[in-house]
Amino acid sequence: DLKPWSHPFLSGLSDFNEIRQGEKQTDIISEVKVGTGAGQATYELHTHYIEELDLIRVYALDITDRKMAEEEIHLLATTDSLTGIANRREFTAMLEREVERVKRYDTPLSLAMFDLDNFKRVNDTFGHDVGDSVLLAVTGLVKKSIRGADVVARWGGEEFMVLMPESDMQAAEKASEKLRLAIAGHPFDTVGKVTASFGVAAFEPQDDLNSLLKRADDALYRAKDKGRNRVETLTAGEMPSK
């Protein structure tokens, strides 16, 4: 029998015997990473059993540059260029998948939409570079405060989203209040104090992606209408503020 191979190229190919005995397909294409950090390389391995010679042939293609280009394209397509968090397109796709999961397994799901109060005044008074630094700082505060399963995204401008799987309305409201206090209590460079308003909605049986998003948006509008720097919730049966 063929023994496990020690070369990094072959470390993941433990099924040589199965290939040889015809228990698996005779052509296998796989990827393997060699090295760590900046020096890591990616190779595409092609494994083929030549029956008439009783020989297993493996050749490797260096696809490091291709993988790096693919990862860069994916990063540009899915993340916000300023903050590095998910962009609107990627967040919508994630929310759509999560809604489908919730419908299938009947688990709780909540969504918080928030934006920074009077942010235009920050840009007009201090300039857009300072405004960008505020957005970066807020992103950092939120990432430190949410759970590992939660996802924060930049929805547009000074508006953000937080996806909270396995969280009902009460838990999401509590988490949003924690975020509100973290932002309101942070001393921002140059600007000083910044506050945010939050709208929270929990998924309900009659919901789809659009109705959940609209209810969170309506709850945010209510928070703005009631004076800003607050958290408001909205259920499917409630009427939004006019």
Side-chain angles (χ1 to χ4, degrees):
D1 283 351
L2 292 169
K3 302 300 182 184
W5 292 55
S6 60
H7 194 285
F9 279 167
L10 310 177
S11 60
L13 296 175
S14 60
D15 47 8
F16 280 172
N17 287 322
E18 288 85 349
I19 297 171
R20 187 185 185 196
Q21 294 164 11
E23 296 173 6
K24 291 193 175 182
Q25 62 186 28
T26 56
D27 293 283
I28 294 178
I29 300 175
S30 58
E31 289 184 10
V32 62
K33 294 184 183 296
V34 178
T36 59
Q40 187 178 73
T42 305
Y43 295 89
E44 184 177 84
L45 303 186
H46 293 249
T47 307
H48 178 73
Y49 176 55
I50 305 174
E51 185 175 1
E52 58 271 22
L53 299 177
D54 192 23
L55 176 70
I56 290 177
R57 180 182 63 191
V58 181
Y59 65 90
L61 301 176
D62 187 341
I63 58 171
T64 305
D65 290 343
R66 189 187 84 193
K67 295 299 289 187
M68 289 178 63
E70 289 173 355
E71 289 171 5
E72 184 175 355
I73 291 170
H74 177 75
L75 191 66
L76 289 171
T78 58
T79 61
D80 175 60
S81 59
L82 173 65
T83 61
I85 58 178
N87 60 20
R88 182 169 184 152
R89 177 181 177 182
E90 175 68 3
F91 185 83
T92 301
M94 295 171 70
L95 179 58
E96 188 171 15
R97 292 193 295 268
E98 195 62 28
V99 165
E100 289 303 313
R101 188 185 72 83
V102 167
K103 286 181 177 180
R104 179 176 300 176
Y105 298 108
D106 192 27
T107 55
L109 170 69
S110 292
L111 184 65
M113 178 184 290
F114 74 92
D115 75 2
L116 305 183
D117 299 324
N118 301 311
F119 190 70
K120 184 178 184 300
R121 188 182 304 165
V122 172
N123 282 330
D124 290 346
T125 303
F126 302 101
H128 287 275
D129 286 346
V130 173
D132 286 351
S133 71
V134 170
L135 294 174
L136 282 166
V138 167
T139 300
L141 288 171
V142 173
K143 288 170 68 176
K144 287 180 182 178
S145 299
I146 60 177
R147 304 170 305 169
D150 299 336
V151 177
V152 59
R154 189 178 179 193
W155 194 242
E158 68 274 21
E159 197 167 57
F160 295 81
M161 288 281 195
V162 182
L163 177 65
M164 303 182 190
E166 304 292 341
S167 290
D168 59 17
M169 179 76 87
Q170 184 178 8
E173 183 179 10
K174 183 178 179 181
S176 297
E177 178 64 12
K178 178 183 176 183
L179 293 177
R180 185 193 69 80
L181 290 172
I183 294 169
H186 183 76
F188 291 87
D189 292 342
T190 307
V191 177
K193 183 179 177 64
V194 173
T195 64
S197 300
F198 288 76
V200 180
F203 185 85
E204 300 184 28
Q206 65 271 38
D207 273 326
D208 58 19
L209 180 144
N210 291 326
S211 63
L212 181 62
L213 283 169
K214 185 177 187 309
R215 198 159 62 253
D217 186 56
D218 288 341
L220 174 57
Y221 181 85
R222 175 186 283 183
K224 294 286 190 182
D225 192 51
K226 288 188 174 183
R228 299 184 175 87
N229 190 24
R230 59 187 296 124
V231 176
E232 288 291 328
T233 64
L234 194 67
T235 62
E238 292 182 85
M239 294 297 294
S241 302
K242 298 297 184 182

PDB file of all heavy atoms in Angstrom, residues 2 14 37 43 73 105-106 118 123 153 158 165 179 197 217:
ATOM      1  N   LEU A   2       0.342   2.275  -0.650  1.00  0.00           N
ATOM      2  CA  LEU A   2       1.044   3.549  -0.659  1.00  0.00           C
ATOM      3  C   LEU A   2       0.878   4.227   0.687  1.00  0.00           C
ATOM      4  O   LEU A   2      -0.190   4.237   1.280  1.00  0.00           O
ATOM      5  CB  LEU A   2       0.469   4.449  -1.756  1.00  0.00           C
ATOM      6  CG  LEU A   2       0.741   3.968  -3.187  1.00  0.00           C
ATOM      7  CD1 LEU A   2      -0.094   4.779  -4.163  1.00  0.00           C
ATOM      8  CD2 LEU A   2       2.214   4.095  -3.522  1.00  0.00           C
ATOM      9  N   SER A  14      -4.806  11.883   0.898  1.00  0.00           N
ATOM     10  CA  SER A  14      -4.688  10.636   1.661  1.00  0.00           C
ATOM     11  C   SER A  14      -5.422   9.493   0.981  1.00  0.00           C
ATOM     12  O   SER A  14      -5.518   8.397   1.526  1.00  0.00           O
ATOM     13  CB  SER A  14      -5.259  10.841   3.072  1.00  0.00           C
ATOM     14  OG  SER A  14      -6.625  11.218   2.982  1.00  0.00           O
ATOM     15  N   GLY A  37       1.612  33.446   5.879  1.00  0.00           N
ATOM     16  CA  GLY A  37       1.788  34.890   5.785  1.00  0.00           C
ATOM     17  C   GLY A  37       1.974  35.364   4.362  1.00  0.00           C
ATOM     18  O   GLY A  37       1.393  34.830   3.408  1.00  0.00           O
ATOM     19  N   TYR A  43      -1.381  26.328  -4.915  1.00  0.00           N
ATOM     20  CA  TYR A  43      -1.142  25.465  -6.068  1.00  0.00           C
ATOM     21  C   TYR A  43      -2.398  24.661  -6.385  1.00  0.00           C
ATOM     22  O   TYR A  43      -3.154  24.283  -5.491  1.00  0.00           O
ATOM     23  CB  TYR A  43       0.015  24.499  -5.794  1.00  0.00           C
ATOM     24  CG  TYR A  43       1.346  25.191  -5.611  1.00  0.00           C
ATOM     25  CD1 TYR A  43       1.751  25.619  -4.345  1.00  0.00           C
ATOM     26  CD2 TYR A  43       2.180  25.428  -6.688  1.00  0.00           C
ATOM     27  CE1 TYR A  43       2.963  26.261  -4.168  1.00  0.00           C
ATOM     28  CE2 TYR A  43       3.403  26.074  -6.527  1.00  0.00           C
ATOM     29  CZ  TYR A  43       3.778  26.496  -5.256  1.00  0.00           C
ATOM     30  OH  TYR A  43       4.981  27.140  -5.098  1.00  0.00           O
ATOM     31  N   ILE A  73     -10.787  41.009  -6.239  1.00  0.00           N
ATOM     32  CA  ILE A  73     -12.042  41.342  -6.919  1.00  0.00           C
ATOM     33  C   ILE A  73     -13.227  41.087  -5.996  1.00  0.00           C
ATOM     34  O   ILE A  73     -14.158  41.899  -5.913  1.00  0.00           O
ATOM     35  CB  ILE A  73     -12.177  40.519  -8.221  1.00  0.00           C
ATOM     36  CG1 ILE A  73     -11.149  40.992  -9.246  1.00  0.00           C
ATOM     37  CG2 ILE A  73     -13.585  40.625  -8.794  1.00  0.00           C
ATOM     38  CD1 ILE A  73     -11.030  40.102 -10.455  1.00  0.00           C
ATOM     39  N   TYR A 105     -36.196  27.187   9.498  1.00  0.00           N
ATOM     40  CA  TYR A 105     -35.985  26.620  10.827  1.00  0.00           C
ATOM     41  C   TYR A 105     -36.745  27.346  11.935  1.00  0.00           C
ATOM     42  O   TYR A 105     -36.667  26.938  13.099  1.00  0.00           O
ATOM     43  CB  TYR A 105     -34.492  26.619  11.158  1.00  0.00           C
ATOM     44  CG  TYR A 105     -33.684  25.772  10.200  1.00  0.00           C
ATOM     45  CD1 TYR A 105     -32.836  26.364   9.264  1.00  0.00           C
ATOM     46  CD2 TYR A 105     -33.781  24.385  10.211  1.00  0.00           C
ATOM     47  CE1 TYR A 105     -32.099  25.594   8.375  1.00  0.00           C
ATOM     48  CE2 TYR A 105     -33.048  23.606   9.331  1.00  0.00           C
ATOM     49  CZ  TYR A 105     -32.207  24.215   8.415  1.00  0.00           C
ATOM     50  OH  TYR A 105     -31.488  23.442   7.538  1.00  0.00           O
ATOM     51  N   ASP A 106     -37.452  28.410  11.584  1.00  0.00           N
ATOM     52  CA  ASP A 106     -38.269  29.138  12.551  1.00  0.00           C
ATOM     53  C   ASP A 106     -37.440  29.610  13.751  1.00  0.00           C
ATOM     54  O   ASP A 106     -37.783  29.371  14.903  1.00  0.00           O
ATOM     55  CB  ASP A 106     -39.449  28.268  13.028  1.00  0.00           C
ATOM     56  CG  ASP A 106     -40.474  29.077  13.801  1.00  0.00           C
ATOM     57  OD1 ASP A 106     -40.579  30.299  13.561  1.00  0.00           O
ATOM     58  OD2 ASP A 106     -41.166  28.491  14.652  1.00  0.00           O
ATOM     59  N   ASN A 118     -27.202  64.274  12.566  1.00  0.00           N
ATOM     60  CA  ASN A 118     -26.645  65.550  12.083  1.00  0.00           C
ATOM     61  C   ASN A 118     -25.241  65.400  11.499  1.00  0.00           C
ATOM     62  O   ASN A 118     -24.375  66.262  11.690  1.00  0.00           O
ATOM     63  CB  ASN A 118     -26.620  66.587  13.217  1.00  0.00           C
ATOM     64  CG  ASN A 118     -28.007  66.844  13.787  1.00  0.00           C
ATOM     65  OD1 ASN A 118     -28.962  67.077  13.041  1.00  0.00           O
ATOM     66  ND2 ASN A 118     -28.124  66.786  15.106  1.00  0.00           N
ATOM     67  N   ASN A 123     -19.483  67.029   8.406  1.00  0.00           N
ATOM     68  CA  ASN A 123     -18.760  67.210   7.139  1.00  0.00           C
ATOM     69  C   ASN A 123     -18.643  68.682   6.762  1.00  0.00           C
ATOM     70  O   ASN A 123     -17.586  69.139   6.308  1.00  0.00           O
ATOM     71  CB  ASN A 123     -19.471  66.444   6.027  1.00  0.00           C
ATOM     72  CG  ASN A 123     -19.180  64.951   6.057  1.00  0.00           C
ATOM     73  OD1 ASN A 123     -18.109  64.526   6.477  1.00  0.00           O
ATOM     74  ND2 ASN A 123     -20.137  64.151   5.632  1.00  0.00           N
ATOM     75  N   ALA A 153     -22.766  46.381   8.545  1.00  0.00           N
ATOM     76  CA  ALA A 153     -22.524  46.790   7.165  1.00  0.00           C
ATOM     77  C   ALA A 153     -22.792  48.277   7.023  1.00  0.00           C
ATOM     78  O   ALA A 153     -23.579  48.861   7.766  1.00  0.00           O
ATOM     79  CB  ALA A 153     -23.420  46.011   6.211  1.00  0.00           C
ATOM     80  N   GLU A 158     -23.804  57.829   6.065  1.00  0.00           N
ATOM     81  CA  GLU A 158     -23.623  57.645   7.504  1.00  0.00           C
ATOM     82  C   GLU A 158     -24.604  56.634   8.076  1.00  0.00           C
ATOM     83  O   GLU A 158     -24.813  56.561   9.280  1.00  0.00           O
ATOM     84  CB  GLU A 158     -23.777  58.984   8.232  1.00  0.00           C
ATOM     85  CG  GLU A 158     -25.169  59.573   8.231  1.00  0.00           C
ATOM     86  CD  GLU A 158     -25.488  60.417   7.017  1.00  0.00           C
ATOM     87  OE1 GLU A 158     -24.822  60.263   5.976  1.00  0.00           O
ATOM     88  OE2 GLU A 158     -26.403  61.241   7.110  1.00  0.00           O
ATOM     89  N   PRO A 165     -28.579  37.473  13.995  1.00  0.00           N
ATOM     90  CA  PRO A 165     -29.202  36.143  13.987  1.00  0.00           C
ATOM     91  C   PRO A 165     -29.454  35.650  15.412  1.00  0.00           C
ATOM     92  O   PRO A 165     -28.732  36.013  16.345  1.00  0.00           O
ATOM     93  CB  PRO A 165     -28.155  35.266  13.293  1.00  0.00           C
ATOM     94  CG  PRO A 165     -27.238  36.229  12.600  1.00  0.00           C
ATOM     95  CD  PRO A 165     -27.236  37.470  13.434  1.00  0.00           C
ATOM     96  N   LEU A 179     -24.978  49.724  21.736  1.00  0.00           N
ATOM     97  CA  LEU A 179     -24.257  50.408  20.670  1.00  0.00           C
ATOM     98  C   LEU A 179     -24.461  51.918  20.738  1.00  0.00           C
ATOM     99  O   LEU A 179     -23.526  52.694  20.552  1.00  0.00           O
ATOM    100  CB  LEU A 179     -24.716  49.891  19.305  1.00  0.00           C
ATOM    101  CG  LEU A 179     -24.384  48.434  18.965  1.00  0.00           C
ATOM    102  CD1 LEU A 179     -24.981  48.060  17.619  1.00  0.00           C
ATOM    103  CD2 LEU A 179     -22.888  48.201  18.957  1.00  0.00           C
ATOM    104  N   SER A 197     -29.029  57.354  15.986  1.00  0.00           N
ATOM    105  CA  SER A 197     -30.410  56.918  16.188  1.00  0.00           C
ATOM    106  C   SER A 197     -30.586  55.524  15.592  1.00  0.00           C
ATOM    107  O   SER A 197     -30.033  55.224  14.520  1.00  0.00           O
ATOM    108  CB  SER A 197     -31.380  57.889  15.515  1.00  0.00           C
ATOM    109  OG  SER A 197     -31.251  59.185  16.049  1.00  0.00           O
ATOM    110  N   ASP A 217     -36.360  50.597   8.759  1.00  0.00           N
ATOM    111  CA  ASP A 217     -36.233  51.983   8.295  1.00  0.00           C
ATOM    112  C   ASP A 217     -37.310  52.877   8.929  1.00  0.00           C
ATOM    113  O   ASP A 217     -37.030  54.011   9.342  1.00  0.00           O
ATOM    114  CB  ASP A 217     -36.342  52.006   6.776  1.00  0.00           C
ATOM    115  CG  ASP A 217     -36.067  53.386   6.203  1.00  0.00           C
ATOM    116  OD1 ASP A 217     -34.991  53.941   6.478  1.00  0.00           O
ATOM    117  OD2 ASP A 217     -36.932  53.919   5.490  1.00  0.00           O
TER     118      ASP A 217
END
